[in-house]
């Protein structure tokens, strides 16, 4: 209905919501920060897996191999459950009191969806301080892949369902692993016990190289990898190759490159300079045009004409006038997602000029309308515009009071993926930059919500999109 572009709306939401809401409640955030900083709470590294040595992210929705594979036709297989999206390697831990294995090495795998029972994962590891190695898979004709001659593997970790086993290069079993399943099957935490003499060599390693492959598990097939027709058996793998080598080329050659892990270095959590650059590019990419003020709709005007007028004056920062019109429009048509969204935004902006107690009430009322708008807009052409409204408000209100940063982050992810899908259909510099920008917005809000894992993941997506634009 509305002719105003998403880019202009996005820029408006980012500016108006940020500037208009948070001032009257800033002291509430300061009070919360005071208690957090004063308590000095710290978790022992032995409980959370130890410092992160390397964090790798894999492309979303790329589990169809060389674009030939399909999910098995069993109801247990959830699309996305074989799609590896993140692989995290921690530094080895020792003297971790109260743990099942005081000496261990933790690896984390995250998938797009759950259903770990029917998932088959192989991780092959080359350790720099161990000579020799194996260049064929652990199980004959299982994955049907070859390994780089520069990095034959010394240890193989086989995960199927909830069980995990470590093997050496002679294909002999060393021990079982300690596994934990989280996020409804999306995340698997694997702890490799290092008390074994063979595995203790990992402590001395400076570099390791990892091959990670995931597929469908079948107890009737070799190595647990369910065949998918012909030679195509792997559904997803962690790509350690150069960007110039396509996945199709890798599948055709069957030789995969590992990812390198520097074992004794901790990674930086964010790249603030790159994120600032993405924001600058996004600002440059906006359409620099001012929406003209339309004539005031008459009594005979339709609902859509009055709504378009209300949105227009809202974007021209005539918020009080827009709020009065939008309030009437919500009463006239309570199922209008846009009317609910913009009315909710008006209430939140008014909260920025109110005292603390009135502001809290107004913000809570705001989210009643914003949340309703999001539900009403699902699957419609209005969804992104509605999400921009809620994300803008959710990212601006004080986190210690309302705890809405995670809501904003997830909305921004959906917005980023929308622009990413648009770019697949029609290549556009604006769509690429918009996708990267909204992933940055998501990362910032995940950090605010103390969801550092998600923050790193979406910061990576922003970086990858931006660098390959």
């Amino acid at each position: 209905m509305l002719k105003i572009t998403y880019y202009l709306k996005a820029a408006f939401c980012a500016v108006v919501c940020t500037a208009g809401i948070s001032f009257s409640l800033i002291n509430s955030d300061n009070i919360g920060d005071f208690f957090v900083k004063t308590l000095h709470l710290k978790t022992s590294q032995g409980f959370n897996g130890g410092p992160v040595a390397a964090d790798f992210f894999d492309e979303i929705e790329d589990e169809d191999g060389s674009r030939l594979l399909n999910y098995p036709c069993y109801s247990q297989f959830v699309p996305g459950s074989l799609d590896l999206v993140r692989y995290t390697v921690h530094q080895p831990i020792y003297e971790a009191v109260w743990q099942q294995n005081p000496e261990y090495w933790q690896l984390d795998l995250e998938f797009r969806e759950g259903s770990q029972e029917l998932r088959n994962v192989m991780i092959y590891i080359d350790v720099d301080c161990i000579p020799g190695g194996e260049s064929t898979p652990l199980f004959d004709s299982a994955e049907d892949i070859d390994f780089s001659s520069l990095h034959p593997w010394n240890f193989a970790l086989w995960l199927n369902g909830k069980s995990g086993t470590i093997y050496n290069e002679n294909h002999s079993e060393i021990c079982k692993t300690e596994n934990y399943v989280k996020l409804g099957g999306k995340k698997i935490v694997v702890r490799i016990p290092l008390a074994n003499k063979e595995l203790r060599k990992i402590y001395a390693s400076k570099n390791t190289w990892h091959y990670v492959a995931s597929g469908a598990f079948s107890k009737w097939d070799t190595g647990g990898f369910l065949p998918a027709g012909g030679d195509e058996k792997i559904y997803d793998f962690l790509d350690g190759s150069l960007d110039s080598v396509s996945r199709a080329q890798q599948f055709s050659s069957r030789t995969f490159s590992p990812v390198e892990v520097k074992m004794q270095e901790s990674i930086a959590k964010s790249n603030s300079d790159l994120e600032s650059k993405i924001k600058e590019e996004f600002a440059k990419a906006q359409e620099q045009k001012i929406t003209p003020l339309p004539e005031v709709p008459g009594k005979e005007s339709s609902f859509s004409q009055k709504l378009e007028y209300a949105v227009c004056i809202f974007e021209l920062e005539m918020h009080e006038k827009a709020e009065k019109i939008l309030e009437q429009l919500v009463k006239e048509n309570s199922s209008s997602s846009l009317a609910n969204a913009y009315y909710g935004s008006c209430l939140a902006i008014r909260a920025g000029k109110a005292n603390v107690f009135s502001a809290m009430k107004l913000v809570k009322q705001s989210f009643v309308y914003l949340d309703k708008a999001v539900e009403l807009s699902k699957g419609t052409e209005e969804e992104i515009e509605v999400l921009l409204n809620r994300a803008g408000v959710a990212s601006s209100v004080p986190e210690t009071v309302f705890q809405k940063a995670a809501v904003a982050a997830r909305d921004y992810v959906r917005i980023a993926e929308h622009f990413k899908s648009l770019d697949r259909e029609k290549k556009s510099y604006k769509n690429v930059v918009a996708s990267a920008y909204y992933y940055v917005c998501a990362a910032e809000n995940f950090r605010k919500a103390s969801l550092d894992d998600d923050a790193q993941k979406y910061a990576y997506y922003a970086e990858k999109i931006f660098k390959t634009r």
Side-chain angles (χ1 to χ4, degrees):
M1 178 198 73
L2 300 176
K3 298 179 181 178
I4 304 164
T5 66
Y6 284 142
Y7 301 108
L8 193 58
K9 293 170 185 172
F12 168 78
C13 289
V15 174
V16 173
C17 292
T18 301
I21 298 172
S22 59
F23 293 117
S24 68
L25 297 178
I26 193 70
N27 290 333
S28 301
D29 246 357
N30 290 341
I31 292 170
D33 290 342
F34 169 79
F35 283 109
V36 171
K37 293 174 182 177
T38 303
L39 288 174
H40 297 295
L41 297 177
K42 188 176 181 180
T43 303
S44 170
Q45 292 183 336
F47 284 98
N48 58 22
V52 174
D55 213 359
F56 302 99
F57 298 87
D58 193 54
E59 190 72 27
I60 297 177
E61 298 180 354
D62 67 337
E63 73 273 31
D64 53 356
S66 57
R67 308 301 183 222
L68 299 175
L69 301 178
N70 295 303
Y71 272 87
C73 300
Y74 303 116
S75 60
Q76 297 96 322
F77 281 101
V78 179
S81 61
L82 307 178
D83 186 8
L84 179 69
V85 297
R86 186 177 189 178
Y87 178 61
T88 306
V89 181
H90 296 255
Q91 294 180 8
I93 285 289
Y94 62 93
E95 295 182 353
V97 295
W98 308 111
Q99 300 300 293
Q100 180 177 327
N101 293 287
E103 298 178 325
Y104 68 86
W105 185 25
Q106 182 167 312
L107 311 175
D108 305 333
L109 299 104
E110 186 177 338
F111 296 83
R112 182 158 53 94
E113 293 296 339
S115 185
Q116 82 283 357
E117 290 85 0
L118 298 175
R119 186 187 294 136
N120 202 45
V121 179
M122 290 298 309
I123 302 175
Y124 296 93
I125 303 170
D126 173 28
V127 180
D128 62 355
C129 62
I130 302 178
E134 175 63 280
S135 58
T136 60
L138 177 66
F139 302 106
D140 293 337
S141 302
E143 303 98 301
D144 191 28
I145 61 174
D146 297 317
F147 300 91
S148 168
S149 58
L150 297 175
H151 299 291
W153 58 269
N154 303 114
F155 299 109
L157 167 59
W158 183 29
L159 297 170
N160 55 86
K162 296 181 180 179
S163 65
T165 310
I166 288 285
Y167 298 83
N168 61 23
E169 61 193 63
N170 297 319
H171 298 213
S172 299
E173 180 178 329
I174 299 176
C175 65
K176 298 294 183 182
T177 60
E178 176 188 347
N179 302 338
Y180 301 94
V181 178
K182 300 182 178 181
L183 304 177
K186 290 184 181 180
K187 185 172 183 178
I188 304 175
V189 174
V190 182
R191 290 185 172 180
I192 301 172
L194 297 180
N196 182 278
K197 186 176 180 180
E198 283 186 87
L199 295 172
R200 289 186 70 86
K201 295 178 182 179
I202 290 172
Y203 279 118
S205 63
K206 293 183 179 180
N207 293 296
T208 58
W209 292 266
H210 301 234
Y211 304 86
V212 185
S214 70
F217 175 68
S218 168
K219 64 182 179 180
W220 296 286
D221 292 290
T222 305
F225 276 96
L226 181 68
D231 294 330
E232 301 286 355
K233 292 185 180 180
I234 295 178
Y235 280 77
D236 201 6
F237 63 90
L238 186 62
D239 188 359
S241 67
L242 298 175
D243 292 337
S244 58
V245 181
S246 69
R247 292 179 67 87
Q249 287 177 305
Q250 291 177 74
F251 267 96
S252 62
S253 67
R254 312 308 305 175
T255 300
F256 297 111
S257 301
V259 291
E260 181 179 3
V261 177
K262 297 184 183 299
M263 297 289 286
Q264 298 171 14
E265 296 182 9
S266 296
I267 63 168
K269 291 212 168 181
S270 66
N271 186 342
S272 57
D273 290 341
L274 180 66
E275 292 182 12
S276 296
K277 179 65 175 175
I278 291 173
K279 291 178 182 178
E280 290 175 8
E281 288 296 313
F282 177 76
K284 292 178 184 177
Q286 304 312 301
E287 290 188 6
Q288 301 298 319
K289 69 176 184 178
I290 299 175
T291 307
L293 183 65
E295 296 181 2
V296 178
K299 293 182 180 180
E300 303 301 320
S301 299
S302 66
F303 177 88
S304 61
Q305 288 174 325
K306 288 184 284 187
L307 177 58
E308 185 170 5
Y309 174 75
V311 171
C312 184
I313 62 174
F314 175 89
E315 295 191 342
L316 290 170
E317 302 187 31
M318 302 169 64
H319 303 132
E320 292 183 12
K321 187 175 181 179
E323 182 182 340
K324 290 179 182 178
I325 299 173
L326 288 162
E327 183 179 14
Q328 293 301 317
L329 292 175
V330 168
K331 290 178 181 178
E332 183 179 335
N333 183 0
S334 61
S335 62
S336 168
S337 62
L338 287 179
N340 278 279
Y342 281 99
Y343 182 57
S345 292
C346 283
L347 293 175
I349 290 170
R350 179 149 59 96
K353 303 174 184 177
N355 61 55
V356 172
F357 296 105
S358 297
M360 290 180 68
K361 183 178 179 180
L362 284 167
V363 171
K364 288 180 180 178
Q365 289 177 340
S366 168
F367 277 100
V368 171
Y369 292 98
L370 289 166
D371 292 342
K372 180 180 179 180
V374 170
E375 287 300 314
L376 289 169
S377 68
K378 283 183 178 177
T380 71
E381 62 181 11
E382 299 171 345
E383 183 175 12
I384 300 304
E385 189 173 347
V386 169
L387 288 172
L388 283 166
N389 274 269
R390 188 171 74 171
V393 174
S395 65
S396 301
V397 297
E399 177 63 6
T400 55
V401 179
F402 297 103
Q403 297 183 333
K404 294 293 185 179
V407 174
R410 294 187 181 99
D411 285 349
Y412 281 130
V413 168
R414 290 168 68 181
I415 296 165
E417 290 175 350
H418 165 77
F419 284 105
K420 188 177 179 181
S421 65
L422 287 181
D423 187 58
R424 289 196 195 104
E425 297 171 8
K426 185 178 181 180
K427 292 293 181 181
S428 164
Y429 173 74
K430 286 185 177 180
N431 288 337
V432 171
V433 174
S435 181
Y437 170 76
Y438 288 117
Y439 275 137
V440 167
C441 293
E444 289 179 336
N445 280 278
F446 277 127
R447 290 189 199 110
K448 194 189 301 184
S450 299
L451 297 171
D452 291 338
D453 285 353
D454 289 309
Q456 291 179 50
K457 176 166 65 178
Y458 291 107
Y460 163 81
Y461 290 150
E463 179 179 356
K464 184 171 183 180
I465 290 170
F466 190 68
K467 285 186 175 181
T468 57
R469 69 192 189 283

